Amino acid sequence: MIGAAVRPARDRARIVGLQVASLVVVLAAWEGLARAGWVDPLFVPTPSAVARSVPSLGGVAMSGLADTLAKTAAAYALSIVFGVAGGLVLGGARTLDQTLRPFVVALYGMPKILVLPWIVLLLGYGSVPAVVYGTLHGFFPILVLVSGAVRDVDGHLLTVGRAFGARPWQLYLKVVLPAIVPAVLAAMRLGVVFCLLGVLVVEMFAGVRGMGSVMGALANGFRAPELFAATALVSLASIVIVLALDALGERLSRWR
Amino acid sequence: VTVVLIRAGIVAVVLAGWEIAARVGSPLLYVPPSAAVPALRDLLLLRSYPDLLEHLLLTVHEILIAYGLAVAAGLAVGFALGLYRTLGRAYGPILAALYAVPAVVWYPSLMLFFGLDAASKIAFGFLLGFFPITLAVLAGIRQVNPQLVIVARAFGARPLTIFLKVLVPAMLFTLVGGLRTGAALSVVGVIVGEILGSKAGMGALINHAYGLLRTADYVALVVVSLAVIVATDGAASLLERRARRWTE
């Protein structure tokens, strides 16, 4: 349970072996069950059928994914700009923060899907509602994390800085900004998944382009192998993005 | 008191601004509060949607089942991965990687597999609620001071006793937080599922009102859904506070 010293190298090999083995077992069992007719291949295709469907999906999925990622990037940039700026303002102004906090908490916690029909009604069926809705998803976690970090900046540092005659902008640049870097990085990592989520939801709800609408169309057309392949593709893209942000974050915090 | 007054002032200004903007712009698109209130009254008096209660109950029903399954599976998987080192080291990273995927990518597959009825919403609500609960169990177990377990074992406590008397109380704080997040996400999952495609439930009503451009009714339905969500969350936070007081 807890404790027990183990030799690291052998332990690690065992872990990786277990991971690979369970993956193989799951895929083999899935393939077997589907071939034996235990699950309907109309709904759950065999892994081999999913693999075979990748070429036929190729072009559509790639352009859809590119479209989705472009919207996500726009939403992400907007979320970071507004979220960090708002966080700096809220975290720095105590009274404003206390007054507005219940609104921020309520808006953050509210399921945004409820306003999605309204957003689509106002902004139409293009890329704009996807970017707006993605921004809405990414903005609040960044705002909350950053404003919290600004609030928690060590007061002594600010007092000392002020005592030495630092101006407000100097305090921001030299004390506050370095202090909130970890929070901003955490917020950026969290925010990107939220932005992608928001964009995909809009595309599924009202999309004419993008991966969400591709997947919706595949589901409605009962094209299960292609749908599974598309799902795997988006998941993979998301994991790669998060890992890349992790690596970037590690680099930046080492620089700090 | 002044803060409360300022907050009330902000709400009043937003509502007034909304009313004016909606009247100047398009009352149909922007739904001024003066149009939303009568729509809400009609909705609550069952005039605009006589079958409101059935749909509301269906949604609540889906949420309860989804959350129940998420709690059961989340606790089981969380404790299995947290208490057995090898399992945790092997499957923990896989779980974390899956958590980095926006959950909505699974929804089309779930819809294909479970159909347009309640099952696909339950499955999606379950999926969303499952992850935070599992991860909270894992985080909670990591927080438990291993000395406590060693001491308890030295005094001859059995595994079950250690589990119930040492482990669970020591991690309750984190666990309860995860259960609350899981509840909120199960609710979101069910409602997202209903809005992305369903034949019944609050999401289906919302889509119906939206599709027919009955925007005032749409706003009223959103208000009712929000009331349900806020009530659920209020109950959850009450339980959370109770559990926390108990640990202290």
Side-chain angles (χ1 to χ4, degrees), chain A residues 11 14-15 19 22 43-44 98-99 102 111 114-115 117-118 120-121 125 204-205 215 219 222 224 231 234 238, chain B residues 6-7 11 29 83 85-86 89-91 97 100-102 104-106 109 112-113 195 207 210 213 215 218 226 229:
Chain A
D11 195 37
R14 213 179 56 189
I15 298 292
Q19 285 173 337
S22 19
F43 301 116
V44 183
Q98 276 172 356
T99 314
L114 291 173
V115 294
W118 191 56
V120 172
L121 191 65
Y125 283 77
M204 283 178 194
F205 180 75
M215 291 168 71
F222 284 93
T231 306
V234 184
S238 174
Chain B
I6 296 173
R7 279 180 198 151
V11 172
L29 286 187
L83 296 181
R85 251 173 74 84
T86 317
R89 302 237 342 253
Y91 300 119
V101 175
V104 76
V105 303
W106 314 118
S109 310
L112 181 69
F113 189 69
I195 287 188
N207 271 345
Y210 156 77
L213 269 185
T215 46
Y218 158 69
L226 274 180
I229 293 163

Side-chain angles (χ1 to χ4, degrees), chain A residues 54-72 127 196 199-200 203 208-215 218 230 233-234 237:
Chain A
V54 170
S56 70
L57 185 69
V60 184
M62 277 308 159
S63 68
L65 188 61
D67 198 59
T68 299
L69 290 182
K71 288 180 218 165
T72 306
S127 303
L196 181 56
V199 170
L200 285 170
E203 288 175 349
V208 278
R209 289 187 347 215
M211 211 52 191
S213 70
V214 170
M215 291 168 71
L218 290 174
L233 185 68
V234 184

Side-chain angles (χ1 to χ4, degrees), chain B residues 65-241:
Chain B
I65 296 179
Y67 184 55
L69 292 173
V71 170
L75 292 181
V77 172
F79 278 114
L81 296 192
L83 296 181
Y84 298 97
R85 251 173 74 84
T86 317
L87 284 185
R89 302 237 342 253
Y91 300 119
I94 297 178
L95 215 61
L98 286 180
Y99 196 46
V101 175
V104 76
V105 303
W106 314 118
Y107 188 67
S109 310
L110 292 176
M111 208 161 71
L112 181 69
F113 189 69
F114 290 107
L116 271 181
D117 288 328
S120 57
K121 283 81 205 167
I122 293 171
F124 194 52
F126 159 77
L127 200 64
L128 256 65
F130 166 77
F131 275 100
I133 296 174
T134 309
L135 294 176
V137 175
L138 286 175
I141 291 177
R142 243 176 280 130
Q143 282 167 0
V144 175
N145 182 355
Q147 304 289 345
L148 290 179
V149 178
I150 294 171
V151 170
R153 211 180 290 153
F155 276 102
R158 290 165 189 227
L160 188 67
T161 318
I162 296 182
F163 181 78
L164 288 178
K165 301 267 166 171
V166 180
L167 218 52
V168 171
M171 59 184 284
L172 199 65
F173 202 75
T174 312
L175 184 63
V176 170
L179 288 173
R180 190 180 163 190
T181 313
L185 283 177
S186 284
V187 172
V188 170
V190 167
I191 294 179
V192 168
E194 285 187 351
I195 287 188
L196 286 182
S198 61
K199 291 180 263 179
M202 288 308 282
L205 290 187
I206 286 175
N207 271 345
H208 180 263
Y210 156 77
L212 294 180
L213 269 185
R214 287 164 61 174
T215 46
D217 287 338
Y218 158 69
V219 172
L221 285 165
V222 167
V223 170
V224 171
S225 309
L226 274 180
V228 173
I229 293 163
V230 170
T232 322
D233 194 56
S237 85
L238 214 67
L239 285 176
E240 187 185 19
R241 225 172 299 151

